[in-house]
């Protein structure tokens, strides 16, 4: 339960020189072992080049979440063990396409590489493994507008494609009978729009630690663009089916929070996320994000980065 990379998470359409660290606490996450709480940590950095018109970003999440190896009880239900798990390494390129005095348009491509563990579910009789080998690519577009000195609007649109799929193996440990297949994740649309206002901005010459305070409101929309892939097997007389439970799920989440700008170079964000659709992955989320900007691309005006 370490979700796919989304370009809108703690980001701006502007290329920036920055290091960042995100913390997310998800309450009652839906997983293979039922429901559980997940804490996710995402360190990363972004570096500009090409006169700050282009940047490359790297992030590597890890989480306290459902153990990638789950044990089955006598009713063939997972026991719900938890562990510290590494997620997939993500690399993203960002390119400014248009820049005016009050807005920018940018685009790029993110690639998610398989560094997470395989998923294993087993007991004395059955062994089931789903590989973590999928490579996901996601082209995206971003827009930032600053209608006034105190207001900003930004949005992202992204489509993620599983380019390789993942292998599935199920084996009866008593008879040695086995079956293998392959699952490919559905293409997913991620879209978000954010509006914000600076509630406080310090004078440019003021020597103070708190140089700005902004309130934000953001809407996220995630939708599967095709029916979920399935793989069925009957091994040792036990019928099994693998794949996503939802066929064409869509998720809508609402985010609200505050960002404090510290010493003009650091943004500290705290926000709360609440699902608003019937298809939900969790009950609520607490987000804390820290961005520190440096170098030529760290000095440019950015609106906001959540």
């Amino acid at each position: 339960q370490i979700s796919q990379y989304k370009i809108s998470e703690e980001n701006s359409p502007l290329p920036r020189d920055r290091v960042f660290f995100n913390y997310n606490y998800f309450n009652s996450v839906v997983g293979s072992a039922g429901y559980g709480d997940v804490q996710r940590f995402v360190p990363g950095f972004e570096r500009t080049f090409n006169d700050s018109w282009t940047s490359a970003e790297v992030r590597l999440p890890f989480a306290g979440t459902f153990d990638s190896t789950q044990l089955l009880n006598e009713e063939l239900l997972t026991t719900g063990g938890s562990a510290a798990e590494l997620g997939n390494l993500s690399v993203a390129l960002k390119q400014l396409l248009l820049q005016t005095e009050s807005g920018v348009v940018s685009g790029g491509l993110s690639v998610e590489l398989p560094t997470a563990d395989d998923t294993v579910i087993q007991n004395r009789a059955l062994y089931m493994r789903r590989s973590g080998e999928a490579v996901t690519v996601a082209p995206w577009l971003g827009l930032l507008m600053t209608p006034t000195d105190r207001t900003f609007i930004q949005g992202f649109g992204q489509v993620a494609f599983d380019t390789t799929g993942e292998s599935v193996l199920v084996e009866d440990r008593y008879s040695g009978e086995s079956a293998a297949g392959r699952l490919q994740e559905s293409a997913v649309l991620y879209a978000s729009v954010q509006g914000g206002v600076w509630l406080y901005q310090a004078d440019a010459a003021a020597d103070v630690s708190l140089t700005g305070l902004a309130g934000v409101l953001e809407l996220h929309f995630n939708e599967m663009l095709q029916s979920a892939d399935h793989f069925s097997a009957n091994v040792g007389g036990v019928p099994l089916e693998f794949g996503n439970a939802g066929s064409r799920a869509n998720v809508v989440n609402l985010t609200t929070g505050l960002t404090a700008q510290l010493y003009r170079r650091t943004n500290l964000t705290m926000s709360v996320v609440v699902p608003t659709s019937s298809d939900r992955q969790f009950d609520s989320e607490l987000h804390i994000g820290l961005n520190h900007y440096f170098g030529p691309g760290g000095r440019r005006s950015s609106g906001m980065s959540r």
Side-chain angles (χ1 to χ4, degrees), residues 18-56:
R18 63 182 180 125
V19 292
F20 58 90
F21 187 86
N22 302 328
Y23 168 78
N24 305 80
Y25 172 78
F26 300 92
N27 176 246
S28 295
V29 175
V30 180
S32 61
Y35 292 84
D37 296 339
V38 171
Q39 298 188 72
R40 184 179 67 184
F41 309 86
V42 188
F45 68 90
E46 181 181 358
R47 186 65 167 155
T48 65
F49 51 96
N50 189 28
D51 199 22
S52 295
W53 275 71
T54 311
S55 71

Side-chain angles (χ1 to χ4, degrees), residues 97-113:
L97 303 176
L98 175 67
Q99 183 173 23
T100 68
E101 290 185 358
S102 60
V104 299
V105 176
S106 62
L109 181 75
S110 66
V111 181
E112 189 171 298
L113 302 172

Side-chain angles (χ1 to χ4, degrees), residues 199-241:
L199 306 173
Y200 162 74
Q201 288 179 305
D203 293 334
D207 185 18
V208 294
S209 57
L210 180 64
T211 50
L213 183 67
V216 296
L217 186 66
E218 187 170 1
L219 192 67
H220 291 266
F221 176 75
N222 313 322
E223 182 174 16
M224 296 168 62
L225 299 180
Q226 61 200 73
S227 297
D229 203 3
H230 288 268
F231 163 65
S232 298
N234 192 315
V235 177
V238 179
L240 298 166
E241 186 167 331

